[in-house]
Amino acid sequence: MADARRYHRLPSPFRMKRGGELIGAHLAYETWGTLSPHADNAVLILPGLSPSAHAASGPHDSSDGWWEAIIGPGKAIDTERWFVICVNSLGSCKGSTGPASHDPTSGRPYAIEFPELTLEDAANANQCLIDALGIARLACLVGCSMGGMTTLAQMLLHPNCTRAHISISTAPQAQPFAIAIRSLQREAIRLDPNWNNGAYDDTHYPEAGMRIARKLGVITYRSALEWSGRFSRIRLDSGARDEDPFAFEFAVESYLEAHARRFVRTYDPNSYLYLSRASDWFDIAEYGGGSVAAGLKKICIENALVIGVDTDILFPIEQQKAIADGLAEAGAKVDFVALDSPQGHDAFLVDTDRFGAEIRRFLDTLDTTGSVASSVAPAPAEQARHD
């Protein structure tokens, strides 16, 4: 399969928020559609922690992307109208510079010598790419999960970088439950003897730690309602069980194990640690004197769509409502949508019909500059729609 990724070299040195710098760093990204002559139809998409920049199929890579149902000709994010960019976050292992990349000063992988990473660093790197593409202002900035937190950082650090914003299943700061889960994920990886203080290799890979970390994540990505509906208390056939007295007995255990095994070795454990911790560190209240609302009030955009799911336990719907209210207080025209999907945090990846309908509706109200067409009045933030 061809590789559609492109690479943008960041300024060198690229200085980080918490100290340290990167030499010769780069971002991996993919694009779909055509940039207009005035460069006013660009939509930047920032994914969650683990997805790559391959959000959709295209002429250079025909494999399905992680948001295949949403992006493409005639789809919710119509590539016949919009120039779509998806960036792999700084610190990831899907093409952008991260802990698995080689440090040019030593010739060895950075591993845990990688500088302390924040989502603000990722936001600054994204803005470097947008500037290099000749885009003075995005028509729309879209962020999902961790990517949504990065979009908030980018709009704060680079005022007027976008006219419109779509916030999906994200938060203005990590809450204790999310921090606790990610802390356990990091601990599982670090306690695996093969992690070896970050100095693992393909032969000695912390597989057990990564499997446990992924299982913990998957449990929080879906809701209890869906787990019950899909698996109930269904037991495995006796022939499918191991003889170990504590072997998997329930179907849900087998599902989690299969899902985790598909994930390990497709993602760098140190990248997982760095981006997980960066998500915990991000707090928009730092920009508002300790107040989330005051931090959000510093964001300058014209229009926003904020979508959350009422069964999301990782980023509860109240956090998305706080984003909607804060952006409205800052002067944006905000449409807040609370979906009742049973699929929890991951609904934006699987309940694509309903998410796509909301995204299409919002983008259809914009002209190519990201401004609301005069004939359409968006719903105010306080008038949430529960679908």
Side-chain angles (χ1 to χ4, degrees):
M1 190 66 65
D3 187 349
R5 287 177 296 184
R6 304 180 187 182
Y7 299 90
H8 171 66
R9 189 164 294 278
L10 296 171
S12 188
F14 181 81
R15 293 186 169 83
M16 314 283 271
K17 176 184 176 181
R18 296 175 69 97
E21 60 187 28
L22 295 172
I23 305 298
H26 60 265
L27 284 185
Y29 68 101
E30 290 191 32
T31 68
W32 301 262
T34 303
L35 187 62
S36 64
H38 297 292
D40 58 3
N41 68 331
V43 174
L44 174 61
I45 298 173
L46 307 184
L49 186 151
S50 59
S52 69
H54 187 61
S57 57
H60 301 293
D61 184 347
S62 60
S63 64
D64 285 354
W66 59 267
W67 231 11
E68 186 71 25
I70 299 290
I71 302 168
K75 295 181 182 178
I77 304 179
D78 188 352
T79 52
E80 292 179 336
R81 179 186 181 192
W82 304 106
F83 177 63
V84 181
I85 310 154
C86 184
V87 174
N88 179 234
S89 177
L90 184 70
S92 180
C93 58
K94 300 291 187 179
S96 294
T97 297
S101 304
H102 281 74
D103 179 352
T105 63
S106 68
R108 300 187 303 272
Y110 282 104
I112 60 170
E113 296 302 316
F114 195 76
E116 290 187 326
L117 176 72
T118 68
L119 296 186
E120 285 89 343
D121 298 321
N124 286 332
N126 296 339
Q127 191 61 40
C128 287
L129 168 63
I130 295 307
D131 292 342
L133 292 175
I135 300 167
R137 198 176 187 194
L138 294 163
C140 191
L141 178 57
V142 183
C144 308
S145 190
M146 184 193 80
M149 300 171 86
T150 307
T151 62
L152 293 175
Q154 189 165 342
M155 291 186 294
L156 272 170
L157 297 172
H158 302 277
N160 300 312
C161 67
T162 185
R163 291 183 172 86
H165 171 48
I166 299 177
S167 173
I168 296 175
S169 298
T170 190
Q173 60 182 192
Q175 292 294 299
F177 176 77
I179 293 171
I181 291 296
R182 286 194 285 262
S183 175
L184 287 174
Q185 291 175 302
R186 294 193 295 271
E187 186 173 357
I189 294 169
R190 291 185 295 106
L191 289 179
D192 188 316
N194 282 342
W195 182 65
N196 190 27
N197 202 33
Y200 47 82
D201 55 29
D202 288 341
T203 303
H204 303 92
Y205 175 93
E207 183 163 340
M210 284 292 282
R211 280 185 16 247
I212 294 170
R214 186 60 174 175
K215 289 180 184 180
L216 282 167
V218 171
I219 290 169
T220 66
Y221 297 156
R222 301 299 178 95
S223 72
L225 182 65
E226 187 187 10
W227 290 121
S228 296
R230 290 180 66 180
F231 298 105
S232 186
R233 288 180 52 82
I234 297 172
R235 284 177 162 81
L236 299 173
D237 294 336
S238 58
R241 301 179 198 170
D242 294 336
E243 294 183 1
D244 186 319
F246 294 102
F248 299 144
E249 181 177 356
F250 292 91
V252 67
E253 296 177 283
S254 179
Y255 169 83
L256 288 172
E257 177 69 10
H259 188 100
R261 287 191 178 278
R262 289 196 299 271
F263 180 77
V264 298
R265 295 184 182 271
T266 68
Y267 204 84
D268 174 55
N270 285 335
S271 289
Y272 206 106
L273 295 176
Y274 271 82
L275 285 170
S276 166
R277 186 175 60 174
S279 298
D280 287 350
W281 277 342
F282 180 71
D283 185 358
I284 206 166
E286 290 180 4
Y287 300 88
S291 165
V292 166
L296 287 164
K297 200 170 182 179
K298 294 186 176 183
I299 292 177
C300 301
I301 55 172
E302 298 170 9
N303 309 284
L305 168 64
V306 180
I307 312 178
V309 174
D310 59 10
T311 56
D312 189 341
I313 61 173
L314 193 61
F315 293 110
I317 192 68
E318 293 79 11
Q319 291 196 281
Q320 280 106 72
K321 183 62 164 63
I323 292 173
D325 289 344
L327 294 177
E329 282 291 317
K333 297 177 180 178
V334 182
D335 192 357
F336 172 59
V337 179
L339 297 176
D340 62 356
S341 172
Q343 290 152 327
H345 181 69
D346 261 3
F348 70 91
L349 295 172
V350 290
D351 195 358
T352 50
D353 285 347
R354 289 204 289 173
F355 272 85
E358 296 296 342
I359 293 168
R360 181 192 298 274
R361 180 194 55 75
F362 177 75
L363 290 177
D364 282 350
T365 68
L366 306 181
D367 60 28
T368 56
T369 65
S371 298
V372 171
S374 59
S375 60
V376 180
E382 62 271 16
Q383 294 180 0
R385 290 183 292 108
H386 294 262
D387 298 316

